[in-house]
Amino acid sequence: MLKDSFNNVNGAIDTIRQQCEQYIVSDVDLRERLRNEGKNVILDLFRQYYEKFSRKDFTKNRDKYVRYDPRTLEAIIDNFFEHRS
């Protein structure tokens, strides 16, 4: 069950990341507000999920399922809405 759960979370993060790469918000203040709101909504819930389940012994190949940690997700959100080469 945890494998499916982590697969779903990874898929959601990948989808959000891809969608946000398609949009560029040139207004710096608006871009920062959108990123901060994303952190408020997504990051706190992800931290709780990560702390509760990431250390469980549910697979021999942990890196396949636990692909993101809270710091990595925060860095991803920090790059939303801005073209990066």
Side-chain angles (χ1 to χ4, degrees), residues 32-64:
E32 285 304 312
R33 286 195 336 234
L34 289 169
R35 288 174 179 168
N36 288 334
E37 189 63 29
K39 287 179 187 180
N40 289 338
V41 171
I42 298 168
L43 203 51
D44 289 337
L45 290 172
F46 181 74
R47 275 191 184 108
Q48 292 173 23
Y49 173 83
Y50 183 85
E51 291 301 318
K52 185 172 182 177
F53 297 115
S54 69
R55 294 185 183 100
K56 301 268 185 200
D57 188 24
F58 65 95
T59 182
K60 292 180 182 179
N61 193 359
R62 184 181 182 279
D63 292 339
K64 178 180 177 182

